[in-house]
Amino acid sequence: GDSRGSATTSLLSNFIRVCQDEAEQTRVIVEETAEEAPPRAFYQTSSGFVKMKLNKLVSSSRRQQRKRHFQAPSHVRRIIMSSPLSKEMRTKYNVRSLPIRKDDEVQVVRGHYKGQQVGKVVQCYRKKFVVYIERIQREKANGATVYVGIHPSKVVIVKPKLDKDRKLILERRAKSRQSGADKGSKYDESQMES
């Protein structure tokens, strides 16, 4: 009886030792892989460079970005539906683009309806990410005329509708742009010399 008991305990102790050895090896492997893996703020681009993600709350996933875009609330859609200003307006206000609004005068620069004539924005349809412009209409099969939706990125604002809020936005944007221009490049002369 004693020989069988001692054999069992020796087997058990061998088994425990093997398990401890395996656990130790596993822990070493996990530690090594943890050291090798870059922090989560970094991700690898298609060209192989490791690039830092500046905001961990914003996904890099195409699928997540599309989801966020199409499920965006109205106040976010306003920003998405921004249009560039025409060259004259850009030099006048020192602002590159603005969220489009009703009563802005715009010109279509891309697509089937592009042309020289300027039209007023009749409606900003945020649900569909389009704007309706004064004379850009088509005829339906039953003879009714309907506006054609055009994405704001395909128009330029020729004459923005200015009220006090819009003026404040323009001033604020111009000021931040000016402060950025004053700072200049990342490196000043003293750093370049050293």
Side-chain angles (χ1 to χ4, degrees), residues 4-96:
R4 196 186 308 160
S6 63
T8 310
T9 47
S10 67
L11 276 173
L12 195 59
S13 62
N14 282 343
F15 177 71
I16 289 167
R17 198 179 312 116
V18 167
C19 287
Q20 284 172 342
D21 289 347
E22 283 179 4
E24 183 63 31
Q25 285 172 353
T26 310
R27 192 172 62 77
V28 168
I29 289 166
V30 167
E31 282 174 2
E32 283 173 3
T33 52
E35 284 170 12
E36 289 166 15
R40 285 193 65 184
F42 293 88
Y43 66 97
Q44 205 150 8
T45 59
S46 56
S47 56
F49 293 109
V50 173
K51 191 173 178 184
M52 192 169 83
K53 260 180 74 179
L54 299 176
N55 187 349
K56 68 182 175 59
L57 301 175
V58 177
S59 172
S60 302
S61 162
R62 171 179 162 82
R63 179 166 74 170
Q64 286 296 322
Q65 284 175 4
R66 282 175 57 80
K67 183 187 176 191
R68 295 276 196 289
H69 180 274
F70 292 112
Q71 292 182 355
S74 185
H75 71 283
V76 176
R77 286 180 188 229
R78 174 179 167 270
I79 304 299
I80 293 170
M81 290 174 67
S82 291
S83 294
L85 269 64
S86 67
K87 285 207 170 76
E88 299 81 47
M89 293 294 117
R90 206 184 294 177
T91 51
K92 182 178 177 182
Y93 295 115
N94 193 24
V95 171
R96 189 177 178 84

Side-chain angles (χ1 to χ4, degrees), residues 106-186:
V106 297
Q107 180 183 346
V108 182
V109 290
R110 290 281 182 277
H112 181 69
Y113 295 96
K114 76 175 175 187
Q116 295 305 308
Q117 88 263 25
V118 173
K120 215 173 229 187
V121 175
V122 179
Q123 183 190 357
C124 291
Y125 201 157
R126 287 187 191 169
K127 188 178 181 182
K128 291 187 175 180
F129 290 103
V130 295
V131 292
Y132 294 148
I133 300 166
E134 220 169 36
R135 286 182 290 277
I136 298 179
Q137 297 171 322
R138 64 187 291 269
E139 206 168 287
K140 284 170 60 167
N142 65 3
T145 58
V146 289
Y147 288 109
V148 177
I150 290 173
H151 195 274
S153 66
K154 307 303 173 201
V155 303
V156 293
I157 300 172
V158 176
K159 189 179 170 197
K161 163 95 166 111
L162 291 176
D163 54 11
K164 70 175 193 338
D165 294 326
R166 208 88 185 281
K167 282 177 184 169
L168 283 170
I169 292 168
L170 282 167
E171 282 170 23
R172 190 182 70 231
R173 291 250 187 125
K175 197 166 82 175
S176 68
R177 205 175 156 114
Q178 189 60 47
S179 67
D182 291 344
K183 284 179 186 171
S185 69
K186 286 197 286 188

